[in-house]
Structures are given as C-alpha cells and as structure tokens.
Amino acid sequence: MVNNYDWMKDFTFLDFAREVGKHITVNYMMAKESVQQRLNGTARDGLSFTEFTYQLLQGYDFLYLYQHYGVKLQLGGNDQWGNMTTGTELIRRTLGNEVETFALTCPLITKSDGKKFGKTESGNIWLDPKRTTPYKFYQFWLNVSDDDAERYIKIFTSLEKDVIDALIDEHKADPGRRVLQKRLAEEVTVMVHSREALDAAIEASNILFGKATKEALVKLDEQTFLDVFDGVPQFTVQRDQLGQPASELFTTTANVFSSKREIREFLKSGALSLNKEKLSDDRAITADDLIDGKYLLVQRGKKNYYLITVM
C-alpha cells in the first residue's frame, strides 16, 4: 500500500503543469462524459477547476505507479472510467505507444437513494466490527428495500441462481415476511463476521422486537446495547440521584412518566419493566440495577422504551 502524497507533496504547480499538463489537451479532457455532464447542466453545481483537473492528478498517479512499481492495471468503479483512461493516455503519450497499460471497471453499487457506498456517504456500513457492530451490520441488510434486496442478494452472496430465483418468487408471494432481506442479512453477516455474530445479532434484535430476558440484555457489549436502543428517548441522571423510589426517579428526575399517578397505574397493571424484568412495586432504584454499571432500561407496555444513563 502506498500513499500518493509521498510523490505529490514536493511536486510544484509549475512542475506539474510543465511535466503533466503539456501531454493532455483540453479537448481530450473536455470530451470526458463526466465533464460533459457538468457542462451541459445535468449537475446543478457546475464544474470546479479542481474537479476538471482531477483526472490529471489521478492519471499521474497511474504513470508514477507504472514507472516505480510496474503497475499495468488500474481497477475501479465505472464512475472512474474517465480518470482511469486519462492515466493510460498519459502513460502512452509520456513513455510511447509500445507501453501497454489497462483499466478495468465494475458497475457502481448504489443504495436505494441513488448514492454510492463509500466512506464519505452518510449511513454507510463498515466491515470492521469496531466501526459497525454485527448487530447494526445485520440490521442494515435486514432493512433494505425490496428492490435493493433483489439486487444485493445477487451481488453480495454466493447463493446459486436457482436458490435466488426461488427466494425472489417466495418474497413476491408474501412481501411482508421479508424473506429476501432475512436471507440476505444472514448470508452477508455470516460471510463478513461469523455464524456466532449472526446469532448474537438476531438475539439482540429480539430484545427490542420480541421477548427477551435480562440475561440477554446483560450479555450485550456496550456498543451493541447502545445500537439496539439507538433512537429511543434517553435521559441522563446523576449517580447520587439513585436510591429514590421508581415513582420519583422515573417522573421528577427522568421524565419517563408524566406523573406519579401514571407510573403507579403501570405498576399495578404489570405493564412496567426495568431491564426486561417486571417492576411490581414502587421500590428504590439502586446501583445494583445498572446495566454495565451505567444504564437503566425502562419499558412501558410492549413497545415503549426509555434509556437512562447514570453519570
């Protein structure tokens, strides 16, 4: 792995213009489809000088890599075709027609909003479990649209065509079961992480969307725990505020309930849980109740969760 800053940092603008710019004409650069799209107004922001000359920078990278490392093939998404062929052309014009270099592209994979997968796009996922937990990774594939699921299962899995075709037919017969998304999420999570990570991700999903126990909650690592309850209402309380009765802590200190009367009604009906265990009386909430030494998970009814962080 090399860093193009190593050979660009001492390359002055004048040197670049003289040694690289003279080999590629403006006519050649203007003919690129990406440039034409900008100039013809299909892109709202126009074309900056940086974007226009970027093909020369990428082209010079290819030239340098060929000269110093013998690199003959550049791989990339098909949105990079113009930049890559500028590299092959720069090499030909600089070193002669007998030099052969090549560019190979693959179709760009996009998300349902039309944006490509990439580190600069929001809502992306990482292969590193420290950047995207297996739970969040699994949830990403589980929640793609029907159209994306049909495309992605052909691209990202090694399933046979007849298996994929059968899954597509089964999904279309009953889209609500989300057969495609479930199989896609299973295959990719196992491939990238492991079968154990998949099982843990499914178990974590059941905590929020199905029946689960406190033991399952405690087993989660902190980041997965936070991922599972990302988006639920959250409150912060100070550690010295522990020791209060539930009716005080969950109303005045953390506004989970609007009044003490309301929380007592939930306690009486058995519809209040703390850390996935029914809370049957107005007892004191202490440090012994904390998950990972800092969290309280309050559940009202079946679907309403509240996360309290104790500082």
Side-chain angles (χ1 to χ4, degrees):
M1 184 178 291
V2 294
N3 186 348
N4 62 354
Y5 179 71
D6 291 335
W7 58 82
M8 295 301 298
K9 61 183 177 181
D10 297 321
F11 207 174
T12 69
F13 179 79
L14 292 177
D15 289 338
F16 185 82
R18 181 173 59 250
E19 297 180 24
V20 177
K22 70 177 183 180
H23 292 290
I24 303 294
T25 67
V26 172
N27 289 348
Y28 178 86
M29 297 172 68
M30 293 279 287
K32 297 294 183 181
E33 182 180 358
S34 57
V35 174
Q36 287 297 314
Q37 288 176 346
R38 292 282 185 154
L39 293 178
N40 293 334
T42 53
R44 291 181 299 173
D45 300 330
L47 180 68
S48 70
F49 177 77
T50 301
E51 291 171 307
F52 182 60
T53 55
Y54 185 79
Q55 59 179 290
L56 291 181
L57 295 171
Q58 188 168 327
Y60 180 73
D61 286 343
F62 199 177
L63 172 62
Y64 185 93
L65 291 171
Y66 175 80
Q67 289 177 312
H68 293 82
Y69 297 97
V71 174
K72 294 184 177 182
L73 173 64
Q74 187 174 177
L75 306 172
N78 57 9
D79 64 324
Q80 295 296 308
W81 177 251
N83 295 333
M84 293 164 70
T85 53
T86 295
T88 60
E89 184 67 12
L90 179 62
I91 291 171
R92 186 186 68 80
R93 295 188 183 189
T94 303
L95 303 178
N97 293 332
E98 67 279 1
V99 177
E100 288 189 319
T101 52
F102 308 91
L104 178 65
T105 65
C106 62
L108 206 60
I109 300 170
T110 58
K111 295 183 284 189
S112 57
D113 58 6
K115 294 181 178 179
K116 62 183 179 180
F117 282 95
K119 66 181 187 300
T120 57
E121 299 292 344
S122 61
N124 57 25
I125 55 171
W126 298 81
L127 302 182
D128 185 346
K130 295 178 181 178
R131 305 295 298 272
T132 301
T133 62
Y135 165 79
K136 205 165 187 177
F137 187 86
Y138 172 78
Q139 286 293 322
F140 174 86
W141 302 104
L142 193 63
N143 289 292
V144 298
S145 68
D146 290 350
D147 289 341
D148 280 348
E150 188 171 332
R151 286 195 304 120
Y152 292 166
I153 202 166
K154 299 172 183 176
I155 296 171
F156 291 112
T157 76
S158 299
L159 295 173
E160 297 291 339
K161 182 179 183 301
D162 58 341
V163 174
I164 292 175
D165 289 342
L167 285 168
I168 291 172
D169 290 341
E170 185 179 357
H171 179 84
K172 289 180 177 179
D174 187 0
R177 291 175 57 211
R178 301 180 68 79
V179 172
L180 271 180
Q181 285 90 340
K182 290 178 181 178
R183 187 61 181 274
L184 170 67
E186 175 186 344
E187 293 289 328
V188 180
T189 303
V190 170
M191 184 188 306
V192 172
H193 296 289
S194 66
R195 173 63 62 178
E196 292 74 17
L198 170 68
D199 293 339
I202 293 174
E203 187 174 1
S205 300
N206 290 334
I207 290 174
L208 188 58
F209 304 114
K211 294 181 179 180
T213 63
K214 182 179 179 180
E215 287 69 28
L217 201 63
V218 172
K219 281 168 54 179
L220 299 178
D221 62 85
E222 184 177 12
Q223 188 55 59
T224 300
F225 178 85
L226 293 175
D227 285 344
V228 170
F229 298 102
D230 181 36
V232 307
Q234 300 191 17
F235 304 93
T236 301
V237 303
Q238 298 303 310
R239 192 165 291 269
D240 60 9
Q241 294 174 307
L242 293 175
Q244 301 180 75
S247 60
E248 185 72 29
L249 187 66
F250 299 151
T251 55
T252 305
T253 310
N255 192 26
V256 175
F257 294 90
S258 61
S259 67
K260 292 181 181 179
R261 178 181 177 181
E262 183 185 28
I263 187 174
R264 286 171 182 148
E265 289 176 351
F266 273 83
L267 285 169
K268 186 177 180 180
S269 64
L272 174 60
S273 296
L274 176 64
N275 301 332
K276 283 296 180 177
E277 292 183 337
K278 293 290 184 183
L279 200 60
S280 57
D281 57 57
D282 190 16
R283 68 172 178 83
I285 307 301
T286 70
D288 292 337
D289 293 306
L290 298 177
I291 299 292
D292 281 341
K294 63 188 298 189
Y295 301 109
L296 295 169
L297 181 67
V298 181
Q299 184 177 357
R300 295 176 41 165
K302 294 182 178 180
K303 297 182 179 180
N304 298 311
Y305 290 92
Y306 303 83
L307 181 62
I308 299 174
T309 303
V310 179
M311 304 300 289

